[in-house]
Amino acid sequence: MLSIFGCPVKIFCNKETVTINVRNKETNEKIKLYDYVKKKCPSLIGDKAYYYPTPWIGNGHVQTAYAAFQKFEDIHLIDYERKIVSTPDGGQIAVDWTPPLSKKPFDDTPTIVVLHGLTGGSHESYIRCILDILVNPPHNYRAVVINFRGCAESDITSPRLYSAAATDDIRSAIRYIRECIPDAPLLGIGFSMGANILYLGEEGENTPLSAAASIANPFDLVNGSRALEGTYAGKYIYSPAMASNLKEALARHEHMMKKDKRLDLEYVKSANTLREFDSRLTTMIQLLHNNVFLIMNAFIIQILS
């Protein structure tokens, strides 16, 4: 458990990690991923690998609360240029490029595709922090943040939002990105729900991404829901807080959602937990759109959690 006294850093991986396209200078053989991390990031591996938090935010609950209330608006300033991607159902996705295309036109610069967390967007401090490092010297990557429907002050044009099990919007956005920069290597970074939607497991070796980082991924949605509802903080603090964020997002686009008369929005707005919101809106939308996979996924989560 994290404390002000620090805790050891543990690496969990397969006994035989994959080889990567980096060669040992002495043997000219490809290096295994674990050995590469051990060489480049020695502070993460070994007996001396310890993490010491800032003393006055020494546990995860305090850190979460601090990050929620402190917006860090004066640091890690990122200049974006927004483009809109249309989806087959009449909806749209806002994608934010940085550096702006007016300053850096499309070329073959390696590009990082970024997916944010629940109700987040390109404005979030954790997005801006990592992009401030990656798009500036010495790295000089290009980046593009895919904002989920209705997030980051974007409009929705069809009565549908997003969910952790839906990857079709991300596929549409990445197709658009690939069309814009066909010769640029694409890399992915997903945070929280965005890590879940990065669809690497669905695509396997056919993924258009050359590499990806999955950060704080709720990959097991069933047990994640159980764990969230199984603790006092999860059931009475975190779940209601996330449900509140989702209801705020719904309220911003209620005029569009009302166009589908089959949705009971008043019932949705009475949801007090994340599970209730999902069962009252997310599952219903997937039923109406006849997405069998998402329907089964949503019902399984509801039944088992």
Side-chain angles (χ1 to χ4, degrees):
M1 177 177 287
L2 181 62
S3 75
I4 60 173
F5 303 107
C7 62
V9 176
K10 297 181 180 180
I11 301 294
F12 296 91
C13 62
N14 193 289
K15 292 182 179 180
E16 293 293 328
T17 57
V18 297
T19 56
I20 58 177
N21 195 26
V22 176
R23 295 186 180 275
N24 186 309
K25 292 182 179 179
E26 297 179 357
T27 64
N28 200 37
E29 295 180 349
K30 290 185 176 181
I31 299 175
K32 291 185 178 297
L33 177 60
Y34 180 88
D35 295 332
Y36 183 79
V37 173
K38 185 177 181 179
K39 179 181 178 181
K40 294 293 185 179
C41 307
S43 61
L44 293 179
I45 297 176
D47 296 336
K48 296 182 179 180
Y50 256 72
Y51 169 70
Y52 296 95
T54 302
W56 50 274
I57 47 175
N59 66 60
H61 298 302
V62 178
Q63 291 171 2
T64 299
Y66 179 75
F69 291 102
Q70 174 59 266
K71 300 304 181 183
F72 309 100
E73 294 176 345
D74 298 327
I75 59 175
H76 307 305
L77 303 180
I78 300 295
D79 194 10
Y80 292 112
E81 181 172 334
R82 175 161 292 186
K83 298 293 183 182
I84 301 298
V85 180
S86 298
T87 61
D89 70 319
Q92 64 181 27
I93 310 162
V95 298
D96 293 333
W97 295 88
T98 185
L101 304 179
S102 57
K103 296 180 180 179
K104 185 178 178 61
F106 290 135
D107 57 16
D108 60 357
T109 299
T111 298
I112 301 170
V113 179
V114 184
L115 304 182
H116 59 79
L118 184 72
T119 70
S122 57
H123 61 285
E124 295 286 359
S125 58
Y126 60 88
I127 300 288
R128 292 184 285 106
C129 177
I130 196 167
L131 293 187
D132 193 20
I133 297 171
L134 295 177
V135 304
N136 291 312
H139 302 294
N140 296 314
Y141 285 97
R142 185 196 302 276
V144 54
V145 182
I146 302 174
N147 298 293
F148 305 144
R149 296 192 189 208
C151 291
E153 299 184 349
S154 62
D155 296 324
I156 64 171
T157 54
S158 66
R160 177 186 169 188
L161 293 174
Y162 56 90
S163 77
T167 58
D168 50 334
D169 280 355
I170 304 306
R171 296 174 188 278
S172 296
I174 290 183
R175 278 194 296 270
Y176 155 77
I177 294 167
R178 176 50 76 206
E179 290 171 359
C180 293
I181 44 175
D183 299 321
L186 297 183
L187 306 97
I189 299 178
F191 293 89
S192 190
M193 192 184 78
N196 190 280
I197 301 178
L198 203 51
Y199 76 85
L200 297 176
E202 294 179 8
E203 289 294 305
E205 295 182 356
N206 296 321
T207 177
L209 304 176
S210 300
S214 175
I215 302 172
N217 187 343
F219 58 89
D220 189 334
L221 296 174
V222 172
N223 282 321
S225 178
R226 284 174 174 168
L228 187 66
E229 298 289 335
T231 65
Y232 182 90
K235 186 173 184 178
Y236 295 106
I237 300 176
Y238 292 123
S239 182
M242 289 187 282
S244 177
N245 289 340
L246 285 167
K247 288 192 290 185
E248 288 179 8
L250 174 64
R252 290 195 296 270
H253 307 288
E254 188 172 351
H255 64 286
M256 177 57 67
M257 302 301 291
K258 283 182 176 179
K259 292 185 178 181
D260 193 329
K261 303 301 183 182
R262 298 169 294 181
L263 297 175
D264 186 349
L265 297 184
E266 293 303 316
Y267 183 51
V268 175
K269 288 188 288 185
S270 68
N272 293 315
T273 65
L274 184 61
R275 178 183 173 186
E276 289 177 353
F277 184 93
D278 279 342
S279 65
R280 297 177 188 187
L281 183 66
T282 308
T283 303
M284 182 57 65
I285 289 177
Q286 304 309 332
L287 281 166
L288 299 178
H289 284 268
N290 297 316
N291 192 321
V292 176
F293 171 76
L294 296 182
I295 294 168
M296 293 301 296
N297 183 78
F299 275 135
I300 290 171
I301 292 172
Q302 296 303 321
I303 292 171
L304 296 183
S305 62

